[in-house]
Amino acid sequence: MPERLSPVETAKRAAARRAADLVEPDMALGIGTGSTAYWLIRHLGERIASEGLRITGVPTSSQTAELASKAGIALVDLEAAGRLDLTIDGADEFDSALNLVKGGGGALLREKIVAAASDRMIVIADKSKHVETLGAFPLPVEVTSFGWQSTKAAIEDLLPGHDLLGDQITLRLDGEAPFVTDGGNLILDLHLKRIGDPRRLARDLNLIPGVVESGLFIGLCDTVVIGHGDGRTEIIGSANGIAPPGDADFPEPDNLFADLGD
């Protein structure tokens, strides 16, 4: 018998359900990657089955594409979809200005491209992801495999000029081998502890040859749906509100993305 959901999974599920209810018929939708996006895909599949909801989805990773296809979501690539109405994705951290740190699941480049091609971006997260200052979660930076050590050294030289509390940089691994993104790149995780000026750091990182993209999402998100362990949700950004607890506590199958970031 499946175990009942933990408070964190309950919060993720509640946020995902609230966001899924905001999806309108015939939308072109960017679908994120991660443990919270897993619940979004499940709820969209439920709406497709029960309501006949028609949407077109653009997945941000191969894992998302596989799950979304099984849920009955019609998928196309970004070129075929053109401009998207909405992207819904998770985040590893967000601040009160709705700046984000993303990339814990390794899909930050595609996630940022899809978000930038959307009219709106909604983030779904549990309340622990809301921070006063970004940086406690390691900042992912996607880099080319060619010359990655030189790119790492250039980032190390850059960091002392920024308002940070840490400077450790580690190459992300998949077991004993380097983690490789869907785009064939590597990820350096920057353990900064505090990012005093996210906009400036994002700009300066992207000026380094070999850096493909950073996990700082600045000016892309306009709404965050926060889930709580008792099933409540709240929306910050473009609207505000509290939803009733609903039916948050019940058995569910394992979240296949539970070990990934958002």
Side-chain angles (χ1 to χ4, degrees):
M1 179 178 179
E3 294 182 355
R4 300 180 75 84
L5 295 180
S6 69
V8 171
E9 284 298 304
T10 295
K12 292 178 179 182
R13 184 187 184 279
R17 169 178 278 178
R18 182 81 179 269
D21 288 342
L22 299 176
V23 175
E24 299 176 0
D26 300 317
M27 271 189 166
L29 180 69
I31 306 173
T33 297
S35 57
T36 313
Y38 162 86
W39 291 112
L40 171 70
I41 294 167
R42 283 184 56 88
H43 291 311
L44 290 174
E46 291 169 4
R47 288 194 62 191
I48 290 169
S50 64
E51 304 172 22
L53 176 70
R54 296 179 59 183
I55 56 173
T56 300
V58 175
T60 55
S61 70
S62 57
Q63 290 173 306
T64 292
E66 181 179 357
L67 286 174
S69 179
K70 290 179 180 178
I73 300 172
L75 301 179
V76 297
D77 59 29
L78 185 56
E79 289 72 22
R83 189 72 187 170
L84 302 178
D85 298 297
L86 174 65
T87 284
I88 303 177
D89 203 347
D92 298 300
E93 287 184 334
F94 68 93
D95 64 17
S96 295
L98 303 191
N99 299 312
L100 316 173
V101 169
K102 289 181 52 56
L108 67 97
L109 176 61
R110 294 190 181 186
E111 289 173 336
K112 188 173 283 191
I113 292 172
V114 169
S118 303
D119 291 337
R120 295 185 60 205
M121 180 185 187
I122 295 176
V123 161
I124 47 179
D126 64 271
K127 65 178 181 178
S128 70
K129 306 301 175 61
H130 191 183
V131 297
E132 182 175 348
T133 304
L134 300 179
F137 190 90
L139 173 65
V141 177
E142 189 160 342
V143 301
T144 60
S145 59
F146 176 81
W148 73 265
Q149 296 96 335
S150 295
T151 304
K152 177 175 178 285
I155 295 173
E156 289 171 340
D157 290 342
L158 169 74
L159 296 183
H162 287 264
D163 181 8
L164 312 169
L165 290 180
D167 59 6
Q168 182 185 11
I169 302 175
T170 57
L171 177 68
R172 187 176 298 185
L173 300 177
D174 182 7
E176 297 183 358
F179 175 88
V180 179
T181 70
D182 282 350
N185 300 310
L186 307 178
I187 289 182
L188 298 175
D189 287 311
L190 281 53
H191 302 261
L192 306 178
K193 300 181 182 178
R194 166 189 164 85
I195 302 174
D197 189 342
R199 185 177 297 274
R200 178 170 169 254
L201 181 59
R203 179 198 67 197
D204 290 353
L205 284 170
N206 281 350
L207 291 175
I208 295 176
V211 169
V212 180
E213 192 54 81
S214 82
L216 286 166
F217 283 50
I218 311 297
L220 290 172
C221 173
D222 59 65
T223 302
V224 177
V225 180
I226 303 174
H228 296 267
D230 61 1
R232 290 181 302 118
T233 60
E234 59 181 307
I235 296 179
I236 62 173
S238 62
N240 295 286
I242 300 291
D247 58 345
D249 288 325
F250 54 87
E252 284 285 351
D254 291 340
N255 183 338
L256 301 181
F257 281 159
D259 59 339
L260 296 179
D262 295 295

